[in-house]
Amino acid sequence: MIMKPLAINLRESWKRFPAFPGLSLAAMVLLAGCAVGPDYKRPEATTIPAAYAGVTNTAATNGWKVAQPQGQLPKGNWWQIFGDPELNDLEVQASAANQQLNVAAARFAEARAQMDVTRAGLFPNVALSGSATRQQTSPNTPSSFTGQAIGQRSTFNTFTVPLDFSYEVDLWGSVRRGVESARAQMQASADDLETIKLMIQAEVAMDYFTLRALDSQRDVLLSSVQVFRKSFDLTMSRRTGGVATDLEVAQAETVLKTTQAQLPAVALQRAQFEHALALLVGQNASTFSIPERVLSATPPLIPSGLPSELLERRPDVSAAERRMAAANANIGVAKAAFFPTIQLNGLAGFESLNAGTVFNGSSRLWAVGPSLTLPIFEGGKLRAGLRLAKASYDEMVASYRESVLTAFSEVEDNLAAQNLLASQYELESGALVAARKQLEVANNRYRDGLITYLEVATAESTELNVEFSTVQLRGQQLVATVSLVKSLGGGWQETMKP
C-alpha cells in the first residue's frame, strides 16, 4: 500500500473552520523565525605560508594570505601599466564585443533572475480569476441531504469571480535557506563573470605581446637576410676573382637560404595569433588586421611590499567560496523537507447563478483556513536528498581548497618567472653583444683573407640565434607579467581607476 502525505484541504472543508483564530495565525507566523540546517561558516582553506618560496624580494610577498574572498572588487584597467595605446584599444574592444563575455553576462542575469524567483516564495500568492460555467446534473446524483437520487435533471449556470490567497509559513526556514542558496549562486555567477573578464583581458595582452615578439623576430630575420645576402654577394665576387672556393659559396648560400626559410614559419605563427585576437575582440578574422610593429614595451617593475589582500581578489577563489555557501544552505533545504508544511489559504469573491447578480452583496463568499502536509513515507527520498546535499557541500569545500592551492601555485610560478626570465634576458643581452662583436671580427678577417667563410657562417648563425632568443625572452617576460597580474586577480597598483 502506498502511503500519501497527510493533508487538510481548504476547499473541501473550509466550512469546518468558519473563523480560524487570528491569534493562532499570528503565532504561526512568528514561529517562522527559525531555520534548520547549519549556519554557514567558511572553513579553513589551507596553511598560509609566511612568504613564497624561491623569491629573492621577500618583502614583496611576506604576509600574503587568503582572507575573505573579494572577487567582486574592481580590477581597474591594469593593462595600462604597459603604456601601449594599441593594447589599450584592443582591451576596450574585447570588453565590449567578446562573445564569451556575453555568455557569462547572460548566465549572471539568469542567476539573478533565479534568485528573484526563489525569493518570491517569501511572499504570499494572490490570484484573481473568473469563470462562467453552464452545467447539467444527472438525475441519478444523490442528494447531499438524503443520499437518495434526486430523480430529475437540473440545468443551471454558475458565475464565479474568486480572489485566492495562499502563503506558505516558512516555519523551518526552507524558503529562506533556498533564497540563501540562490543568492550565493548569483554571487558565484557574478564572480564567474569577473573570472571570464580577467581571463579574456589577460589572453588579449598575452596574445598581443606574443604577436609583437613575432614581429620583432621577423624584423631580425629580414635584417639578417640583408646582411647574409651581402655576405653571399661578396663571396661570389671573391669566387669570380679566384680567391674563394665553391665550398665557401655554398656555405654562404646555405646560411642565406636557411634564414629566408624561417620567415614563412614566423608569418604563420603571427597570422594565428592575429586570428586569435580577432576572436577575442569579437571581429571576423578575415577582415581583422594589426599592422606590424616591433616589440617596444618593457616589463613593469614589481613594487616591493605588495599588499597581502591582493590574492583575495581572485574571482575564481571567490566563486568557489560562494558555491560552498550555496551548498551549505541546500543542506538546510534538505533538512526542512522532513518537517510539516503549513500553508495559510484564503478565498474571497462572488458566486451567482445569474450573470446580472454576480457582483451583488448577496453573492459574496469567503473562506479561510490552513492546510498541513506531513511526509509519512517517501521511500528513502528525503534521507537520500539530505545525503546528496551533504556530499555536494563536501565537494564544494574540496573545490574551494583546490582553487586556493592553485592560486598560490600560479603566483609562485609567475613570481619565479619574473626573476629567472629577467636574469636570463640580462645574460642573453650580454651574449648578443659578444656575438655581434664576433661576427664583425670574422667578417673583417674574411675580407683580409685570413680565415675561410666557414668561420663567418658560424659567427652569423650564432649571432642570429642569440638575437632571436633575446627577442623571444622579452616577449616571454611580458607574457609572464600578464600571467602574474591574472594570478593575483588584477594589477598591483594602489590606485586603479575603473
Side-chain angles (χ1 to χ4, degrees), residues 64 75 78 81-82 299-307 310 313 415 418 480-496:
W64 285 27
K75 309 299 184 293
W78 55 264
I81 61 176
F82 296 102
L301 295 175
I302 303 175
S304 61
L306 288 174
L310 282 178
R313 299 174 308 162
L415 282 172
Q418 292 294 310
T481 303
V482 175
S483 296
L484 178 60
V485 170
K486 180 183 176 184
S487 65
L488 291 173
W492 50 75
Q493 295 168 287
E494 292 184 5
T495 303
M496 294 181 297

PDB file of all heavy atoms in Angstrom, residues 64 75 78 81-82 299-307 310 313 415 418 480-496:
ATOM      1  N   TRP A  64      51.382  37.374   2.714  1.00  0.00           N
ATOM      2  CA  TRP A  64      50.243  37.188   1.819  1.00  0.00           C
ATOM      3  C   TRP A  64      49.321  36.140   2.418  1.00  0.00           C
ATOM      4  O   TRP A  64      49.761  35.174   3.035  1.00  0.00           O
ATOM      5  CB  TRP A  64      50.716  36.733   0.436  1.00  0.00           C
ATOM      6  CG  TRP A  64      51.311  37.841  -0.348  1.00  0.00           C
ATOM      7  CD1 TRP A  64      51.920  38.962   0.113  1.00  0.00           C
ATOM      8  CD2 TRP A  64      51.356  37.939  -1.771  1.00  0.00           C
ATOM      9  NE1 TRP A  64      52.346  39.746  -0.915  1.00  0.00           N
ATOM     10  CE2 TRP A  64      52.014  39.144  -2.080  1.00  0.00           C
ATOM     11  CE3 TRP A  64      50.910  37.137  -2.797  1.00  0.00           C
ATOM     12  CZ2 TRP A  64      52.246  39.560  -3.383  1.00  0.00           C
ATOM     13  CZ3 TRP A  64      51.133  37.543  -4.096  1.00  0.00           C
ATOM     14  CH2 TRP A  64      51.790  38.741  -4.382  1.00  0.00           C
ATOM     15  N   LYS A  75      38.909  45.620 -10.750  1.00  0.00           N
ATOM     16  CA  LYS A  75      40.306  45.307 -11.062  1.00  0.00           C
ATOM     17  C   LYS A  75      41.025  46.477 -11.728  1.00  0.00           C
ATOM     18  O   LYS A  75      42.238  46.504 -11.798  1.00  0.00           O
ATOM     19  CB  LYS A  75      40.376  44.076 -11.980  1.00  0.00           C
ATOM     20  CG  LYS A  75      39.581  42.871 -11.485  1.00  0.00           C
ATOM     21  CD  LYS A  75      40.075  42.390 -10.131  1.00  0.00           C
ATOM     22  CE  LYS A  75      39.334  41.140  -9.697  1.00  0.00           C
ATOM     23  NZ  LYS A  75      37.928  41.341  -9.404  1.00  0.00           N
ATOM     24  N   TRP A  78      44.228  47.434 -15.597  1.00  0.00           N
ATOM     25  CA  TRP A  78      45.587  47.071 -15.226  1.00  0.00           C
ATOM     26  C   TRP A  78      46.533  47.032 -16.409  1.00  0.00           C
ATOM     27  O   TRP A  78      47.757  47.181 -16.245  1.00  0.00           O
ATOM     28  CB  TRP A  78      45.586  45.718 -14.508  1.00  0.00           C
ATOM     29  CG  TRP A  78      44.924  44.611 -15.281  1.00  0.00           C
ATOM     30  CD1 TRP A  78      43.646  44.177 -15.161  1.00  0.00           C
ATOM     31  CD2 TRP A  78      45.508  43.813 -16.323  1.00  0.00           C
ATOM     32  NE1 TRP A  78      43.384  43.162 -16.043  1.00  0.00           N
ATOM     33  CE2 TRP A  78      44.516  42.921 -16.768  1.00  0.00           C
ATOM     34  CE3 TRP A  78      46.770  43.767 -16.910  1.00  0.00           C
ATOM     35  CZ2 TRP A  78      44.747  42.003 -17.779  1.00  0.00           C
ATOM     36  CZ3 TRP A  78      47.008  42.850 -17.926  1.00  0.00           C
ATOM     37  CH2 TRP A  78      46.011  41.976 -18.345  1.00  0.00           C
ATOM     38  N   ILE A  81      49.495  49.632 -17.404  1.00  0.00           N
ATOM     39  CA  ILE A  81      50.854  49.691 -16.853  1.00  0.00           C
ATOM     40  C   ILE A  81      51.901  49.448 -17.929  1.00  0.00           C
ATOM     41  O   ILE A  81      53.074  49.781 -17.736  1.00  0.00           O
ATOM     42  CB  ILE A  81      51.032  48.670 -15.707  1.00  0.00           C
ATOM     43  CG1 ILE A  81      50.819  47.233 -16.211  1.00  0.00           C
ATOM     44  CG2 ILE A  81      50.105  48.985 -14.548  1.00  0.00           C
ATOM     45  CD1 ILE A  81      51.064  46.162 -15.152  1.00  0.00           C
ATOM     46  N   PHE A  82      51.505  48.878 -19.076  1.00  0.00           N
ATOM     47  CA  PHE A  82      52.460  48.607 -20.153  1.00  0.00           C
ATOM     48  C   PHE A  82      52.631  49.812 -21.077  1.00  0.00           C
ATOM     49  O   PHE A  82      53.554  49.823 -21.896  1.00  0.00           O
ATOM     50  CB  PHE A  82      52.003  47.399 -20.966  1.00  0.00           C
ATOM     51  CG  PHE A  82      51.966  46.126 -20.175  1.00  0.00           C
ATOM     52  CD1 PHE A  82      50.767  45.616 -19.693  1.00  0.00           C
ATOM     53  CD2 PHE A  82      53.134  45.432 -19.887  1.00  0.00           C
ATOM     54  CE1 PHE A  82      50.721  44.453 -18.956  1.00  0.00           C
ATOM     55  CE2 PHE A  82      53.104  44.263 -19.144  1.00  0.00           C
ATOM     56  CZ  PHE A  82      51.892  43.771 -18.672  1.00  0.00           C
ATOM     57  N   PRO A 299      58.908  45.153 -19.465  1.00  0.00           N
ATOM     58  CA  PRO A 299      58.140  44.684 -18.307  1.00  0.00           C
ATOM     59  C   PRO A 299      58.151  45.714 -17.182  1.00  0.00           C
ATOM     60  O   PRO A 299      59.219  46.236 -16.836  1.00  0.00           O
ATOM     61  CB  PRO A 299      58.859  43.397 -17.895  1.00  0.00           C
ATOM     62  CG  PRO A 299      59.644  42.989 -19.096  1.00  0.00           C
ATOM     63  CD  PRO A 299      60.020  44.248 -19.804  1.00  0.00           C
ATOM     64  N   PRO A 300      57.000  46.032 -16.621  1.00  0.00           N
ATOM     65  CA  PRO A 300      56.970  46.978 -15.493  1.00  0.00           C
ATOM     66  C   PRO A 300      57.606  46.358 -14.261  1.00  0.00           C
ATOM     67  O   PRO A 300      57.601  45.139 -14.078  1.00  0.00           O
ATOM     68  CB  PRO A 300      55.473  47.239 -15.294  1.00  0.00           C
ATOM     69  CG  PRO A 300      54.801  46.019 -15.828  1.00  0.00           C
ATOM     70  CD  PRO A 300      55.647  45.544 -16.964  1.00  0.00           C
ATOM     71  N   LEU A 301      58.151  47.199 -13.416  1.00  0.00           N
ATOM     72  CA  LEU A 301      58.761  46.724 -12.182  1.00  0.00           C
ATOM     73  C   LEU A 301      57.687  46.314 -11.184  1.00  0.00           C
ATOM     74  O   LEU A 301      56.657  46.974 -11.041  1.00  0.00           O
ATOM     75  CB  LEU A 301      59.646  47.822 -11.570  1.00  0.00           C
ATOM     76  CG  LEU A 301      60.884  48.232 -12.385  1.00  0.00           C
ATOM     77  CD1 LEU A 301      61.583  49.396 -11.701  1.00  0.00           C
ATOM     78  CD2 LEU A 301      61.834  47.053 -12.549  1.00  0.00           C
ATOM     79  N   ILE A 302      57.934  45.212 -10.504  1.00  0.00           N
ATOM     80  CA  ILE A 302      57.020  44.768  -9.456  1.00  0.00           C
ATOM     81  C   ILE A 302      57.426  45.467  -8.165  1.00  0.00           C
ATOM     82  O   ILE A 302      58.556  45.292  -7.687  1.00  0.00           O
ATOM     83  CB  ILE A 302      57.086  43.246  -9.271  1.00  0.00           C
ATOM     84  CG1 ILE A 302      56.766  42.545 -10.586  1.00  0.00           C
ATOM     85  CG2 ILE A 302      56.138  42.792  -8.180  1.00  0.00           C
ATOM     86  CD1 ILE A 302      56.936  41.063 -10.520  1.00  0.00           C
ATOM     87  N   PRO A 303      56.555  46.275  -7.591  1.00  0.00           N
ATOM     88  CA  PRO A 303      56.945  47.015  -6.379  1.00  0.00           C
ATOM     89  C   PRO A 303      57.121  46.086  -5.191  1.00  0.00           C
ATOM     90  O   PRO A 303      56.516  45.024  -5.112  1.00  0.00           O
ATOM     91  CB  PRO A 303      55.765  47.975  -6.168  1.00  0.00           C
ATOM     92  CG  PRO A 303      54.605  47.287  -6.801  1.00  0.00           C
ATOM     93  CD  PRO A 303      55.160  46.542  -7.986  1.00  0.00           C
ATOM     94  N   SER A 304      57.980  46.495  -4.273  1.00  0.00           N
ATOM     95  CA  SER A 304      58.145  45.722  -3.048  1.00  0.00           C
ATOM     96  C   SER A 304      56.966  45.990  -2.126  1.00  0.00           C
ATOM     97  O   SER A 304      56.288  47.006  -2.224  1.00  0.00           O
ATOM     98  CB  SER A 304      59.453  46.113  -2.357  1.00  0.00           C
ATOM     99  OG  SER A 304      59.421  47.500  -2.017  1.00  0.00           O
ATOM    100  N   GLY A 305      56.731  45.063  -1.222  1.00  0.00           N
ATOM    101  CA  GLY A 305      55.651  45.234  -0.256  1.00  0.00           C
ATOM    102  C   GLY A 305      54.270  45.186  -0.857  1.00  0.00           C
ATOM    103  O   GLY A 305      53.392  45.959  -0.490  1.00  0.00           O
ATOM    104  N   LEU A 306      54.050  44.274  -1.809  1.00  0.00           N
ATOM    105  CA  LEU A 306      52.707  44.123  -2.354  1.00  0.00           C
ATOM    106  C   LEU A 306      51.725  43.798  -1.226  1.00  0.00           C
ATOM    107  O   LEU A 306      52.026  42.984  -0.356  1.00  0.00           O
ATOM    108  CB  LEU A 306      52.675  42.994  -3.396  1.00  0.00           C
ATOM    109  CG  LEU A 306      53.363  43.283  -4.724  1.00  0.00           C
ATOM    110  CD1 LEU A 306      53.367  42.028  -5.578  1.00  0.00           C
ATOM    111  CD2 LEU A 306      52.680  44.408  -5.459  1.00  0.00           C
ATOM    112  N   PRO A 307      50.538  44.399  -1.225  1.00  0.00           N
ATOM    113  CA  PRO A 307      49.592  44.155  -0.127  1.00  0.00           C
ATOM    114  C   PRO A 307      49.142  42.706  -0.089  1.00  0.00           C
ATOM    115  O   PRO A 307      48.925  42.070  -1.116  1.00  0.00           O
ATOM    116  CB  PRO A 307      48.425  45.095  -0.446  1.00  0.00           C
ATOM    117  CG  PRO A 307      48.550  45.394  -1.899  1.00  0.00           C
ATOM    118  CD  PRO A 307      50.015  45.353  -2.203  1.00  0.00           C
ATOM    119  N   LEU A 310      45.904  41.179  -2.007  1.00  0.00           N
ATOM    120  CA  LEU A 310      45.758  41.084  -3.464  1.00  0.00           C
ATOM    121  C   LEU A 310      45.153  39.751  -3.890  1.00  0.00           C
ATOM    122  O   LEU A 310      44.295  39.704  -4.774  1.00  0.00           O
ATOM    123  CB  LEU A 310      47.123  41.274  -4.142  1.00  0.00           C
ATOM    124  CG  LEU A 310      47.636  42.716  -4.240  1.00  0.00           C
ATOM    125  CD1 LEU A 310      49.007  42.746  -4.894  1.00  0.00           C
ATOM    126  CD2 LEU A 310      46.667  43.583  -5.016  1.00  0.00           C
ATOM    127  N   ARG A 313      41.359  38.990  -4.304  1.00  0.00           N
ATOM    128  CA  ARG A 313      40.542  39.488  -5.394  1.00  0.00           C
ATOM    129  C   ARG A 313      40.365  38.471  -6.514  1.00  0.00           C
ATOM    130  O   ARG A 313      39.656  38.749  -7.482  1.00  0.00           O
ATOM    131  CB  ARG A 313      41.171  40.764  -5.983  1.00  0.00           C
ATOM    132  CG  ARG A 313      41.288  41.897  -4.986  1.00  0.00           C
ATOM    133  CD  ARG A 313      42.036  43.056  -5.597  1.00  0.00           C
ATOM    134  NE  ARG A 313      43.291  42.609  -6.166  1.00  0.00           N
ATOM    135  CZ  ARG A 313      43.983  43.312  -7.053  1.00  0.00           C
ATOM    136  NH1 ARG A 313      43.531  44.448  -7.492  1.00  0.00           N
ATOM    137  NH2 ARG A 313      45.133  42.854  -7.513  1.00  0.00           N
ATOM    138  N   LEU A 415      55.917  34.540 -10.136  1.00  0.00           N
ATOM    139  CA  LEU A 415      56.960  35.303  -9.452  1.00  0.00           C
ATOM    140  C   LEU A 415      58.336  34.730  -9.783  1.00  0.00           C
ATOM    141  O   LEU A 415      59.294  35.481 -10.000  1.00  0.00           O
ATOM    142  CB  LEU A 415      56.719  35.271  -7.940  1.00  0.00           C
ATOM    143  CG  LEU A 415      55.631  36.212  -7.413  1.00  0.00           C
ATOM    144  CD1 LEU A 415      55.370  35.945  -5.939  1.00  0.00           C
ATOM    145  CD2 LEU A 415      56.018  37.671  -7.626  1.00  0.00           C
ATOM    146  N   GLN A 418      59.284  35.840 -13.228  1.00  0.00           N
ATOM    147  CA  GLN A 418      59.735  37.229 -13.273  1.00  0.00           C
ATOM    148  C   GLN A 418      61.233  37.321 -12.994  1.00  0.00           C
ATOM    149  O   GLN A 418      61.974  37.983 -13.731  1.00  0.00           O
ATOM    150  CB  GLN A 418      58.961  38.068 -12.254  1.00  0.00           C
ATOM    151  CG  GLN A 418      57.501  38.258 -12.554  1.00  0.00           C
ATOM    152  CD  GLN A 418      57.272  39.082 -13.807  1.00  0.00           C
ATOM    153  OE1 GLN A 418      57.842  40.157 -13.986  1.00  0.00           O
ATOM    154  NE2 GLN A 418      56.470  38.562 -14.700  1.00  0.00           N
ATOM    155  N   ALA A 480      54.769  36.725 -18.979  1.00  0.00           N
ATOM    156  CA  ALA A 480      54.838  36.305 -17.576  1.00  0.00           C
ATOM    157  C   ALA A 480      54.292  37.392 -16.655  1.00  0.00           C
ATOM    158  O   ALA A 480      53.661  37.093 -15.632  1.00  0.00           O
ATOM    159  CB  ALA A 480      56.275  35.966 -17.201  1.00  0.00           C
ATOM    160  N   THR A 481      54.516  38.657 -17.012  1.00  0.00           N
ATOM    161  CA  THR A 481      53.970  39.752 -16.205  1.00  0.00           C
ATOM    162  C   THR A 481      52.451  39.742 -16.262  1.00  0.00           C
ATOM    163  O   THR A 481      51.772  39.924 -15.238  1.00  0.00           O
ATOM    164  CB  THR A 481      54.508  41.104 -16.694  1.00  0.00           C
ATOM    165  OG1 THR A 481      55.937  41.100 -16.651  1.00  0.00           O
ATOM    166  CG2 THR A 481      53.984  42.241 -15.831  1.00  0.00           C
ATOM    167  N   VAL A 482      51.906  39.525 -17.460  1.00  0.00           N
ATOM    168  CA  VAL A 482      50.447  39.433 -17.598  1.00  0.00           C
ATOM    169  C   VAL A 482      49.921  38.250 -16.790  1.00  0.00           C
ATOM    170  O   VAL A 482      48.880  38.342 -16.116  1.00  0.00           O
ATOM    171  CB  VAL A 482      50.053  39.313 -19.080  1.00  0.00           C
ATOM    172  CG1 VAL A 482      48.550  39.091 -19.214  1.00  0.00           C
ATOM    173  CG2 VAL A 482      50.466  40.550 -19.854  1.00  0.00           C
ATOM    174  N   SER A 483      50.629  37.134 -16.841  1.00  0.00           N
ATOM    175  CA  SER A 483      50.206  35.953 -16.078  1.00  0.00           C
ATOM    176  C   SER A 483      50.219  36.226 -14.581  1.00  0.00           C
ATOM    177  O   SER A 483      49.355  35.741 -13.838  1.00  0.00           O
ATOM    178  CB  SER A 483      51.125  34.766 -16.397  1.00  0.00           C
ATOM    179  OG  SER A 483      51.014  34.385 -17.750  1.00  0.00           O
ATOM    180  N   LEU A 484      51.193  37.021 -14.122  1.00  0.00           N
ATOM    181  CA  LEU A 484      51.233  37.384 -12.705  1.00  0.00           C
ATOM    182  C   LEU A 484      50.033  38.238 -12.331  1.00  0.00           C
ATOM    183  O   LEU A 484      49.402  38.032 -11.281  1.00  0.00           O
ATOM    184  CB  LEU A 484      52.530  38.124 -12.389  1.00  0.00           C
ATOM    185  CG  LEU A 484      52.682  38.618 -10.943  1.00  0.00           C
ATOM    186  CD1 LEU A 484      52.626  37.455  -9.964  1.00  0.00           C
ATOM    187  CD2 LEU A 484      53.980  39.413 -10.777  1.00  0.00           C
ATOM    188  N   VAL A 485      49.694  39.189 -13.195  1.00  0.00           N
ATOM    189  CA  VAL A 485      48.512  40.016 -12.947  1.00  0.00           C
ATOM    190  C   VAL A 485      47.276  39.137 -12.848  1.00  0.00           C
ATOM    191  O   VAL A 485      46.441  39.290 -11.943  1.00  0.00           O
ATOM    192  CB  VAL A 485      48.346  41.067 -14.067  1.00  0.00           C
ATOM    193  CG1 VAL A 485      46.995  41.766 -13.953  1.00  0.00           C
ATOM    194  CG2 VAL A 485      49.462  42.095 -14.018  1.00  0.00           C
ATOM    195  N   LYS A 486      47.153  38.193 -13.765  1.00  0.00           N
ATOM    196  CA  LYS A 486      45.998  37.295 -13.770  1.00  0.00           C
ATOM    197  C   LYS A 486      45.957  36.440 -12.511  1.00  0.00           C
ATOM    198  O   LYS A 486      44.896  36.245 -11.904  1.00  0.00           O
ATOM    199  CB  LYS A 486      46.057  36.414 -15.016  1.00  0.00           C
ATOM    200  CG  LYS A 486      44.895  35.433 -15.135  1.00  0.00           C
ATOM    201  CD  LYS A 486      45.067  34.546 -16.357  1.00  0.00           C
ATOM    202  CE  LYS A 486      43.984  33.491 -16.439  1.00  0.00           C
ATOM    203  NZ  LYS A 486      44.199  32.566 -17.582  1.00  0.00           N
ATOM    204  N   SER A 487      47.116  35.923 -12.093  1.00  0.00           N
ATOM    205  CA  SER A 487      47.151  35.055 -10.910  1.00  0.00           C
ATOM    206  C   SER A 487      46.850  35.816  -9.632  1.00  0.00           C
ATOM    207  O   SER A 487      46.389  35.229  -8.651  1.00  0.00           O
ATOM    208  CB  SER A 487      48.524  34.372 -10.806  1.00  0.00           C
ATOM    209  OG  SER A 487      49.549  35.323 -10.573  1.00  0.00           O
ATOM    210  N   LEU A 488      47.094  37.126  -9.634  1.00  0.00           N
ATOM    211  CA  LEU A 488      46.780  37.954  -8.475  1.00  0.00           C
ATOM    212  C   LEU A 488      45.351  38.468  -8.501  1.00  0.00           C
ATOM    213  O   LEU A 488      44.912  39.124  -7.560  1.00  0.00           O
ATOM    214  CB  LEU A 488      47.749  39.141  -8.391  1.00  0.00           C
ATOM    215  CG  LEU A 488      49.206  38.820  -8.048  1.00  0.00           C
ATOM    216  CD1 LEU A 488      50.059  40.070  -8.171  1.00  0.00           C
ATOM    217  CD2 LEU A 488      49.303  38.241  -6.650  1.00  0.00           C
ATOM    218  N   GLY A 489      44.636  38.208  -9.572  1.00  0.00           N
ATOM    219  CA  GLY A 489      43.265  38.698  -9.671  1.00  0.00           C
ATOM    220  C   GLY A 489      43.175  40.140 -10.101  1.00  0.00           C
ATOM    221  O   GLY A 489      42.125  40.769  -9.958  1.00  0.00           O
ATOM    222  N   GLY A 490      44.254  40.711 -10.664  1.00  0.00           N
ATOM    223  CA  GLY A 490      44.244  42.106 -11.099  1.00  0.00           C
ATOM    224  C   GLY A 490      45.602  42.727 -10.869  1.00  0.00           C
ATOM    225  O   GLY A 490      46.538  42.084 -10.391  1.00  0.00           O
ATOM    226  N   GLY A 491      45.733  43.989 -11.213  1.00  0.00           N
ATOM    227  CA  GLY A 491      47.011  44.678 -11.059  1.00  0.00           C
ATOM    228  C   GLY A 491      47.358  44.946  -9.610  1.00  0.00           C
ATOM    229  O   GLY A 491      46.550  44.774  -8.701  1.00  0.00           O
ATOM    230  N   TRP A 492      48.596  45.378  -9.381  1.00  0.00           N
ATOM    231  CA  TRP A 492      49.063  45.632  -8.020  1.00  0.00           C
ATOM    232  C   TRP A 492      49.129  47.108  -7.693  1.00  0.00           C
ATOM    233  O   TRP A 492      49.622  47.494  -6.644  1.00  0.00           O
ATOM    234  CB  TRP A 492      50.463  45.015  -7.838  1.00  0.00           C
ATOM    235  CG  TRP A 492      51.407  45.408  -8.926  1.00  0.00           C
ATOM    236  CD1 TRP A 492      52.032  46.599  -9.110  1.00  0.00           C
ATOM    237  CD2 TRP A 492      51.826  44.572 -10.001  1.00  0.00           C
ATOM    238  NE1 TRP A 492      52.825  46.570 -10.225  1.00  0.00           N
ATOM    239  CE2 TRP A 492      52.715  45.328 -10.803  1.00  0.00           C
ATOM    240  CE3 TRP A 492      51.551  43.253 -10.371  1.00  0.00           C
ATOM    241  CZ2 TRP A 492      53.335  44.825 -11.945  1.00  0.00           C
ATOM    242  CZ3 TRP A 492      52.148  42.758 -11.507  1.00  0.00           C
ATOM    243  CH2 TRP A 492      53.013  43.521 -12.284  1.00  0.00           C
ATOM    244  N   GLN A 493      48.644  47.948  -8.597  1.00  0.00           N
ATOM    245  CA  GLN A 493      48.662  49.379  -8.321  1.00  0.00           C
ATOM    246  C   GLN A 493      47.752  49.708  -7.146  1.00  0.00           C
ATOM    247  O   GLN A 493      46.666  49.153  -6.992  1.00  0.00           O
ATOM    248  CB  GLN A 493      48.189  50.163  -9.560  1.00  0.00           C
ATOM    249  CG  GLN A 493      49.152  50.021 -10.745  1.00  0.00           C
ATOM    250  CD  GLN A 493      48.526  50.544 -12.011  1.00  0.00           C
ATOM    251  OE1 GLN A 493      47.653  49.923 -12.565  1.00  0.00           O
ATOM    252  NE2 GLN A 493      48.961  51.709 -12.439  1.00  0.00           N
ATOM    253  N   GLU A 494      48.189  50.649  -6.318  1.00  0.00           N
ATOM    254  CA  GLU A 494      47.385  51.013  -5.161  1.00  0.00           C
ATOM    255  C   GLU A 494      46.107  51.700  -5.578  1.00  0.00           C
ATOM    256  O   GLU A 494      45.053  51.505  -4.988  1.00  0.00           O
ATOM    257  CB  GLU A 494      48.199  51.948  -4.246  1.00  0.00           C
ATOM    258  CG  GLU A 494      49.379  51.243  -3.575  1.00  0.00           C
ATOM    259  CD  GLU A 494      50.098  52.160  -2.621  1.00  0.00           C
ATOM    260  OE1 GLU A 494      49.615  53.303  -2.431  1.00  0.00           O
ATOM    261  OE2 GLU A 494      51.131  51.778  -2.073  1.00  0.00           O
ATOM    262  N   THR A 495      46.189  52.548  -6.597  1.00  0.00           N
ATOM    263  CA  THR A 495      45.012  53.249  -7.080  1.00  0.00           C
ATOM    264  C   THR A 495      44.754  52.824  -8.505  1.00  0.00           C
ATOM    265  O   THR A 495      45.534  53.149  -9.394  1.00  0.00           O
ATOM    266  CB  THR A 495      45.199  54.782  -7.037  1.00  0.00           C
ATOM    267  OG1 THR A 495      45.519  55.146  -5.687  1.00  0.00           O
ATOM    268  CG2 THR A 495      43.944  55.489  -7.469  1.00  0.00           C
ATOM    269  N   MET A 496      43.687  52.072  -8.721  1.00  0.00           N
ATOM    270  CA  MET A 496      43.344  51.576 -10.047  1.00  0.00           C
ATOM    271  C   MET A 496      42.025  52.193 -10.451  1.00  0.00           C
ATOM    272  O   MET A 496      41.000  51.965  -9.835  1.00  0.00           O
ATOM    273  CB  MET A 496      43.239  50.052 -10.060  1.00  0.00           C
ATOM    274  CG  MET A 496      44.554  49.366  -9.794  1.00  0.00           C
ATOM    275  SD  MET A 496      44.354  47.565  -9.859  1.00  0.00           S
ATOM    276  CE  MET A 496      43.237  47.320  -8.497  1.00  0.00           C
TER     277      MET A 496
END
